[in-house]
Structure formats: C-alpha cells, structure tokens
Amino acid sequence: MSLLELHHVSKNFGSYQALDNVSFSVEPGRIVGLIGPNGAGKSTAMRAITGLMSYSDGEIIFDDERIRFAKNKSLAKMGNLIEYPAIYPNFTARDHMTYYAMDAKDHADIDELMKITGIDGEKFGKRKAKKFSLGMKQRLGIAIALIRNPKFVVLDEPMNGLDPQSVHDIRALIRSLADKGVAFLISSHLLDELQRLADDVVIINKGKVLRREKMVDFLAEGKTQVKVQTSDNDKMLAVAKAAGWDASMGDDRVLIAVQGDVTAQKVLKLATDEGLEVTDIQTGQGNLEDHLLSVLSTDATRA
Amino acid sequence: MFTLLKQEAMKAWKQNRVYIWAIIAFVLPIITLTSFVPMASQASAYGSLGGSSIIITIGMLVLTALSFTQEFTFGTIRPLLSRQYSRLQIFLAKIITVIVEYFLLIVFSLAGTAIGRLIYRAMHDGSTEKVYTTYYTSLDWKSFLFALLMSFVGSLFLMAIVLLVSNIAKSSAAAISLGIVMSVATSILSAVTSSLIQLWAPLKWNPLTVQNVVSYYSGTSDFNKSIQSYFGAGAWVLFVVYGAYVLVMYALAYWIFNRRSV
C-alpha cells in the first residue's frame, strides 16, 4: 500500500503549466529519486506534497489523508528539506533540534541524531548556526527533516555542499532509515549519488512525469555499450556507423551500443579488419545520467 | 497551540533577543529620571516611562515585523508552515507572543521607572527640598496605568499595519519604517489628516485620527465631551470603530498570510 499518492496533479502559474497531470506513488521503505532538468517541476511537486503550495487539479494523498494547501494534520509525520536548510542564525545546532522536536512527542533522540548527522560536539553543538559552513548547514537541515521521526521525508538536493565523508554518512543514514520503513522522495542533480541510493526513479520534464519505475529496471533498459579506444577514433566511428551500428564519440573512445548482432568481439574484428590498432576495449552498463539524457532527448524529439 | 507559543518564545529569546529590549526598557528610565529630568518635569516623565515608552513602541514594531519577515529571510517559513498546525494557529501564536513581549517590556519599564523615582527621591531628600520632591514626584497611579493601557490599545493598530506590510512586502525594513513613522511622526500625520478633514468632514473617522484619539483617551468627562463635540458620537462609538479598523487590518494580514505559497 502506498504511503504517498499523487493522482493527476496539475499546477499552473498563469499560462505556464508547472505540473501537468502528475501521478506517481511512494511506498513505505522506498527511496524514490525525483529527477529532471532545471524547471522540470520537481520543487513545485515537492512543495505541493508538503502542503506549501496549492495545486489546480488532482489530489495528493499522504498516509490516507488528502494533502491540502495550508491545512494538514498528517504533515506531523512528514519531514522536509526543500532547496536550502531552514536555519535560525542565532540558534545553535542543539537549539534547532530542541525547537523542531517540540512538534512531536515521539521525536528522535536528539543526541543520537546530532551524532549521526555530525552536528554534535563542542565544535558544532554549541556554535551559532550563522557560523556554520554550507556543509554544516546542510547536515543540520537533514537532521531537522528527521527529528520528528517522520514516516516520509522529502529532500531536495540533500548532498549539496557535503564532503565525501558526509555524503557517505548521510547515504548510510538514509538507507538505514529506509530499511526501517521510512520512505524518501529525493531530488538531486548528483545523479551518481542518486543511482546508488534510490530504489525507484521518477523522471519529470516540463511538468510531466515521463517515467516511473524501479531504478534497476530503468538502468537495465539503458544501453550496454562497447567502449573502444583505437589509434584513429574518428575512423573507428565512421566504420562503425557504416556498419549500421549505433555509435557515438565519447571523451577518448568510441561508444557503440550493444544491440542486434553487436558484440565486443565483432567490434574488435571490425577495427582490426580496418587496420586500426585497438588500445583498449571495454563493455559497460549505461548509467543514470546517460539514460536520463537519452529519455529527455527522446521526449524533446517527440515534442 | 501551547507548543507553538513555546517555539515562538524560544525564537523571541534566542533569535530576536527580546531581553536586550527589556534591559533597555529597565535601565533607560533609571538613568533619565535620576540624571536628566529636572524636578518640575518628574511627574510628566513618569507618563513616558522615563523615555522608554517610545523604546517599547519601536521594540514592539520591530519584533512584530521580525516575527514574520525573518521566517522568509531565513527560509524557515517552509518547515514553519509544513506542519500539523493550521496557519491560523501559527498566525495567532505569533501575535500572542508579540503582545506578551509588549507586556514584558512594560513590566521592565515600570520597574525601571519606579526604581528611578525612588532613587530620585532619595537623592533629593534634604530637609529643605523634601516638600518639593514629594510634590513633584507624586504619582496618580490610576491615571498612570490607564494611560498605559490606552497606549497599548492604540499600539494594536500600529502593530496591525506593520503586520500587514510584513506579509505583503516580506520586508522588515519597510514594515518597521512605516510603523516608526506612524508612531513617531504623529504630529506631521495629524497636520495632514486635519487638512483633509477640513475638506470633507467624514474624513475625521479615518483610522489615523481614531487611533490617535484612542491612544490619548483618559476617560475623563472632559475628554468624553470633546469626543462628542468633535465626532458627534460617544466614546463607545469611537472604540467600536477603532475595534473594527483593528480587526479588519488583522483579518487582512491573516488573509494574505494564509494564501501565500512558499
């Protein structure tokens, strides 16, 4: 059973349609990546879900209650970090935790959460937030989103400004909470990170949901490629295209999609037949970024 | 609602440092009454709480403006509104907190005024001047506290204007500036409104004139007669009109706050 459901949600700003018949759902314990280019409607969708913005048509159901603009008891079970951390400059990290914990009787253990998110200790716990770095503010923002022991958490660019260790720690924290049943809707431009973290993916562009499926299925659908580096990559590209293969030029090698009769052996044979010296050849799975670009490109072509 | 009030109190104390205003409201009358106000002006200086009444008014306007605009500035408006509480509850919690802050400042200022008066009396307790000191530092507590109450009632309108501008412009500077102009430059505003009233008599019911009269209402029969003579209506009508103005302003501010997408 879904924790969050969007049914045909639309939102207009004058003549501009920010959300167009958007439908998707989030199940408990799932981490859903909401991805798309700038202006696709990700933040608008997140703001509608968190009751911060009205929507023109459709309905949003969270925990069996309809989310309405400015009036939602069910939001007690939702945490969010949208666009940038919400911080009072003269509060310390602990002040923030105390302040936001007042909303819930069964809030998370403040000390534990501060420790997990790395905002504890003499250095940070007692320092005013106005002196925090971007990464510190971001970690505090994530801690704030989690303090009320939410069932569902909306995170917009949660890894923004974090160092690699913090990214690792936050990823582990999100995964552990998801394993306990907490659902996440995460938007990020760091697609490599999202690829590692998300169970499901929702691709949105120009206010419309283009795809909604499991991350593994989406990636599997992406093209497996033979990546070949030769003594003359331009010539390799030309002969691959002449053979009718789906080929393109990468940074320092030619990328040939594995489809039909294309195999690494055949690519190698073609190169040697053409007198090209092959210096490297690999077969690789497509990644989220490549496949996202492909999906967006197809969408643009249809439009 | 109690949770919201606790949270607002925490912000008032830790973020907006209301205690600084309280300290000023307490210390200023002690300094002015003991060091700067001559004996003949002592009694009238108590009416202005030793100069801290204007500090209280400005402080209240600043705190009113900040309680809304800083949520937008800090980006805390989103977690503030994305909760189980209705926007009306959040709005009321902020208003109640500002009013409590106002009374807190009044209490500190009253304490400072009382202490300043006592010190002044002790400083001028020589046998020859004691009789003068007693005369000039006498205080009609009933009139004094009534004037404070009317000052508070009059301030509710200024607070509503600041609240309205804060929610429309989301700018502390604009809201505070307007509030201060309206509280300090009353003589200029009175001159302007008087000129307009001469052009068209019903304009005497304009909110600025009504607020000004209410602020200085003393409850004496002479004052009531003056109201009857000027407005052609009793004092209670004036208070009803004033109440209506204040309610409309607060309702408008809430309407804007409630409709705002963030």
Side-chain angles (χ1 to χ4, degrees):
Chain A
M1 188 177 169
S2 298
L3 186 61
L4 175 81
E5 292 174 24
L6 277 78
H7 297 291
H8 312 291
V9 175
S10 295
K11 170 70 183 175
N12 299 316
F13 294 109
S15 60
Y16 176 70
Q17 189 147 27
L19 296 178
D20 184 2
N21 205 24
V22 167
S23 297
F24 66 87
S25 59
V26 179
E27 283 75 39
R30 302 295 288 183
I31 302 172
V32 177
L34 182 64
I35 56 176
N38 291 333
K42 304 186 295 292
S43 289
T44 305
M46 287 179 155
R47 288 159 71 191
I49 289 166
T50 49
L52 296 171
M53 177 179 276
S54 60
Y55 46 95
S56 325
D57 292 307
E59 63 175 5
I60 299 172
I61 307 289
F62 169 65
D63 205 23
D64 295 330
E65 285 183 38
R66 184 171 179 183
I67 294 285
R68 297 168 198 273
F69 173 58
K71 188 184 175 185
N72 303 287
K73 287 207 179 296
S74 59
L75 288 178
K77 301 161 205 160
M78 194 187 289
N80 72 70
L81 166 60
I82 299 180
E83 288 185 6
Y84 47 85
I87 284 168
Y88 294 101
N90 289 335
F91 277 19
T92 64
R94 181 169 288 281
D95 288 338
H96 280 93
M97 292 293 99
T98 306
Y99 173 87
Y100 285 105
M102 286 181 200
D103 285 337
K105 286 177 186 167
D106 59 339
H107 59 78
D109 184 291
I110 291 177
D111 290 322
E112 191 184 342
L113 186 56
M114 287 178 73
K115 190 176 177 187
I116 293 170
T117 51
I119 54 170
D120 60 337
E122 289 292 313
K123 193 178 175 187
F124 298 119
K126 294 179 180 174
R127 211 159 112 188
K128 287 184 176 167
K130 62 185 171 190
K131 294 178 180 170
F132 282 7
S133 66
L134 176 62
M136 281 301 304
K137 286 179 181 171
Q138 196 68 14
R139 276 190 271 170
L140 176 56
I142 292 168
I144 289 169
L146 300 175
I147 186 68
R148 291 186 291 184
N149 267 339
K151 284 184 173 182
F152 177 63
V153 185
V154 177
L155 299 174
D156 192 0
E157 300 292 346
M159 307 301 185
N160 195 18
L162 297 183
D163 57 51
Q165 183 61 50
S166 299
V167 169
H168 175 270
D169 294 345
I170 296 299
R171 191 197 312 138
L173 174 62
I174 291 172
R175 175 46 65 194
S176 71
L177 289 170
D179 291 342
K180 291 174 188 166
V182 180
F184 288 84
L185 180 66
I186 302 176
S187 166
S188 177
H189 286 112
L190 300 175
L191 297 179
D192 287 348
E193 200 48 52
L194 212 51
Q195 184 175 341
R196 290 192 215 181
L197 192 58
D199 302 312
D200 305 310
V201 62
V202 174
I203 298 176
I204 187 167
N205 189 30
K206 296 173 187 166
K208 291 182 179 177
V209 171
L210 301 181
R211 304 286 287 272
R212 191 268 183 257
E213 54 199 306
K214 288 182 179 176
M215 181 68 85
V216 286
D217 293 342
F218 184 73
L219 293 175
E221 187 190 284
K223 295 168 186 171
T224 302
Q225 294 173 321
V226 176
K227 301 170 182 178
V228 59
Q229 189 178 48
T230 68
S231 52
D232 186 347
N233 284 339
D234 291 334
K235 185 179 176 185
M236 183 66 223
L237 178 64
V239 296
K241 283 190 171 178
W245 294 347
D246 179 3
S248 59
M249 184 63 78
D251 290 339
D252 60 350
R253 58 199 66 208
V254 177
L255 311 175
I256 303 165
V258 174
Q259 55 188 11
D261 63 343
V262 177
T263 61
Q265 288 81 1
K266 287 195 174 178
V267 172
L268 187 60
K269 183 172 185 307
L270 178 67
T272 50
D273 287 350
E274 293 295 328
L276 295 168
E277 182 187 347
V278 176
T279 51
D280 188 25
I281 186 165
Q282 297 173 3
T283 302
Q285 187 75 31
N287 62 25
L288 181 59
E289 183 178 322
D290 290 340
H291 197 32
L292 172 68
L293 291 173
S294 166
V295 169
L296 293 177
S297 169
T298 307
D299 184 51
T301 308
R302 280 184 196 147
Chain B
M1 191 68 181
F2 183 63
T3 301
L4 288 170
L5 288 171
K6 275 201 301 183
Q7 289 177 321
E8 290 302 321
M10 187 174 172
K11 279 186 276 190
W13 192 258
K14 294 210 168 191
Q15 176 58 39
N16 294 336
R17 297 167 176 171
V18 68
Y19 54 85
I20 293 177
W21 290 97
I23 290 168
I24 294 171
F26 178 72
V27 172
L28 187 67
I30 296 175
I31 295 171
T32 56
L33 293 175
T34 56
S35 308
F36 298 104
V37 179
M39 187 178 289
S41 305
Q42 280 285 316
S44 62
Y46 302 150
S48 64
L49 296 168
S52 64
S53 62
I54 188 67
I55 299 292
I56 293 171
T57 304
I58 292 173
M60 192 196 68
L61 298 178
V62 169
L63 292 168
T64 304
L66 286 180
S67 69
F68 283 87
T69 56
Q70 68 181 8
E71 304 285 7
F72 290 97
T73 310
F74 300 154
T76 47
I77 190 73
R78 285 179 178 151
L80 182 81
L81 299 181
S82 182
R83 295 188 292 173
Q84 64 269 42
Y85 310 109
S86 71
R87 292 201 180 189
L88 181 62
Q89 286 176 306
I90 294 167
F91 185 83
L92 287 177
K94 286 186 174 293
I95 303 288
I96 292 168
T97 304
V98 172
I99 290 173
V100 170
E101 286 170 340
Y102 182 89
F103 280 108
L104 181 78
L105 297 188
I106 289 284
V107 167
F108 273 79
S109 191
L110 272 174
T113 303
I115 290 170
R117 179 169 172 257
L118 285 175
I119 293 172
Y120 185 86
R121 282 186 157 195
M123 285 164 63
H124 300 83
D125 202 22
S127 56
T128 52
E129 53 180 355
K130 187 171 183 178
V131 63
Y132 296 109
T133 307
T134 306
Y135 175 75
Y136 283 115
T137 58
S138 62
L139 186 59
D140 178 357
W141 282 98
K142 192 179 170 188
S143 303
F144 174 67
L145 292 175
F146 188 77
L148 274 182
L149 178 66
M150 283 302 106
S151 175
F152 164 70
V153 173
S155 296
L156 286 175
F157 182 77
L158 299 179
M159 205 168 102
I161 288 177
V162 169
L163 201 63
L164 191 59
V165 175
S166 300
N167 278 285
I168 292 171
K170 295 187 281 182
S171 159
S172 301
I176 294 166
S177 304
L178 186 64
I180 289 174
V181 164
M182 293 196 69
S183 60
V184 177
T186 46
S187 58
I188 300 169
L189 292 170
S190 296
V192 173
T193 49
S194 296
S195 305
L196 293 171
I197 290 164
Q198 281 175 359
L199 292 174
W200 192 46
L203 278 178
K204 63 190 168 196
W205 288 100
N206 77 78
L208 294 179
T209 303
V210 172
Q211 186 268 344
N212 205 23
V213 175
V214 165
S215 298
Y216 292 103
Y217 182 73
S218 64
T220 60
S221 58
D222 286 347
F223 207 107
N224 285 334
K225 282 177 189 169
S226 301
I227 290 174
Q228 183 71 43
S229 163
Y230 185 70
F231 288 98
W236 70 271
V237 177
L238 191 76
F239 277 93
V240 168
V241 170
Y242 178 71
Y245 277 136
V246 170
L247 277 180
V248 166
M249 297 286 282
Y250 280 97
L252 200 55
Y254 170 68
W255 183 73
I256 293 167
F257 180 71
N258 191 42
R259 286 176 59 87
R260 192 174 286 287
S261 291
V262 294

